[in-house]
Amino acid sequence: MQRRNFLRLSAGAAVLAALSSRAVAQSGVKEIRIGYQKNGVLVITRQQAALEKHFAALGIEVKWIEFSSGPPMMEAMNVGSVDYGAVGDSPPVFAQAAGTAIVYAAGQPITNGQGILVPKDSPIRSISELKGKRIGFTKGSSAHNIVVQTLEKAGLTYADITPVYLTPPDAGPAFANGSIEAWAIWDPYFAIGETKQNGRILINAHEVTKSNSFYIANRDFAKNHGEVLQQIIDVTTSTAAWAETHRDDVAKSLSAVTGIPLDIQTIAANRSSFRVGPITDDIIATQQGVADRFHKLGLIPKPIAIRDIVWRSTAT
């Protein structure tokens, strides 16, 4: 009986997969444009050509577009030049508040690999000593949220520091030459600052707050091509599961795609969490906290409801 049920379920899954592939083939999609940064599951997916292999039989090409941070990726997604991409927690909050055409497609807990650096010889030893200091970070990025919540933990306000808005490539040299006194950043730049730019970890993000990164899709792409989006998520999820148990290979993949030295990417790979899953109620609640905090501080112009732009697959 158990074998019969198993065979019935397997046959059902095969039928669903066939129907899904047929729907994708008939979708009219000829190209999928993926936005990625110098870290994470999508870099590995690109290096393995996992999406290309999956969609080749369906006549769909994959185009990869690199971004230095999440905010410009959200802008590109809004105008329809990117269909799917990975970002931290803050970019989609700013984007939703601005009316950007995006949806949350999948989530990924962040357990390590981001935080705030100070120079090794800095007198700053506690987060309360950030008061009055110049802190560099990318506006609207996950590092922005790290700064806000770190200040809150120390009993400080946003007005107690001087924010210096810099992209990661610009912030690294500014940190190294002392133009900023602290740097909020994520891997692999976090590892670069720590090992190559005389940095010391003042605090890891996981010591301050629970956070997530996200896989975001263009709203119209998700609405019109849900079957395609679901298969992109499936490939992303499968790659993430592989990455969890192949960290040495992950480091090599990250280094090969980004050009960042293997020793740096090894640090990043060993402390990362790659697991990808659906947007749960817990993730929504955590992200809503980020949005509410940003609105309270006047960083976004209006309150938003994260749940309003969470995409739900119709696949069964």
Side-chain angles (χ1 to χ4, degrees), residues 40 43-48 242 246-260 262 265:
V43 172
I44 306 162
T45 306
R46 183 187 182 193
Q47 199 275 337
Q48 295 181 348
W242 175 88
H246 295 81
R247 293 179 184 270
D248 288 345
D249 292 328
V250 165
K252 292 173 184 177
S253 294
L254 292 171
S255 181
V257 172
T258 65
I260 291 175
L262 180 59
Q265 292 291 18

Side-chain angles (χ1 to χ4, degrees), residues 7-302:
L7 291 174
R8 186 184 299 118
L9 290 171
S10 297
V15 170
L16 287 174
L19 290 173
S20 178
S21 294
R22 186 181 305 165
V24 169
Q26 296 173 349
S27 68
V29 174
K30 298 299 181 184
E31 181 183 71
I32 301 166
R33 297 154 302 176
I34 308 292
Y36 73 102
Q37 301 179 55
K38 289 183 181 293
N39 61 357
V41 173
L42 289 185
V43 172
I44 306 162
T45 306
R46 183 187 182 193
Q47 199 275 337
Q48 295 181 348
L51 285 169
E52 287 86 345
K53 292 172 184 175
H54 180 85
F55 286 108
L58 300 171
I60 300 175
E61 296 184 356
V62 179
K63 178 181 179 181
W64 295 89
I65 306 168
E66 183 180 328
F67 294 87
S68 64
S69 62
M73 190 192 301
M74 297 293 90
E75 294 173 11
M77 197 169 286
N78 184 50
V79 299
S81 55
V82 171
D83 301 312
Y84 179 84
V87 297
D89 54 7
S90 299
V93 168
F94 282 88
Q96 183 181 358
T100 303
I102 59 168
V103 293
Y104 290 91
Q108 181 177 346
I110 299 176
T111 57
N112 210 338
Q114 60 179 359
I116 298 178
L117 296 170
V118 294
K120 284 183 178 177
D121 59 358
S122 170
I124 301 172
R125 293 288 170 178
S126 68
I127 57 178
S128 63
E129 293 174 303
L130 291 172
K131 185 174 182 177
K133 300 301 189 290
R134 299 183 304 275
I135 305 179
F137 56 92
T138 303
K139 185 177 183 179
S141 70
S142 60
H144 199 153
N145 184 40
I146 293 169
V147 170
V148 167
Q149 297 213 45
T150 297
L151 294 174
E152 187 176 284
K153 182 180 178 70
L156 301 176
T157 70
Y158 201 63
D160 285 324
I161 62 143
T162 300
V164 182
Y165 300 134
L166 296 167
T167 64
D170 292 332
F175 178 74
N177 67 29
S179 297
I180 53 177
E181 294 154 293
W183 182 19
I185 191 60
W186 56 86
D187 273 334
Y189 304 101
F190 192 44
I192 292 173
E194 182 185 359
T195 62
K196 305 295 186 182
Q197 294 170 318
N198 199 39
R200 166 169 51 86
I201 297 176
L202 179 66
I203 195 162
N204 284 290
H206 67 80
E207 300 174 67
V208 177
T209 183
K210 181 169 62 174
S211 61
N212 303 279
S213 59
F214 293 96
Y215 295 86
I216 305 294
N218 170 271
R219 184 176 60 207
D220 291 339
F221 182 84
K223 178 181 178 181
N224 298 326
H225 307 296
E227 298 89 351
V228 180
L229 176 56
Q230 184 58 59
Q231 292 200 12
I232 297 171
I233 296 170
D234 290 345
V235 172
T236 303
T237 303
S238 178
T239 303
W242 175 88
E244 283 286 345
T245 57
H246 295 81
R247 293 179 184 270
D248 288 345
D249 292 328
V250 165
K252 292 173 184 177
S253 294
L254 292 171
S255 181
V257 172
T258 65
I260 291 175
L262 180 59
D263 62 329
I264 297 295
Q265 292 291 18
T266 297
I267 293 172
N270 285 339
R271 65 187 179 193
S272 294
S273 173
F274 298 104
R275 181 170 51 86
V276 175
I279 306 295
T280 63
D281 288 341
D282 182 62
I283 289 176
I284 291 172
T286 299
Q287 188 70 347
Q288 188 63 54
V290 176
D292 293 345
R293 185 174 292 105
F294 281 5
H295 177 248
K296 181 179 178 180
L297 292 171
L299 296 174
I300 59 174
K302 61 182 181 180

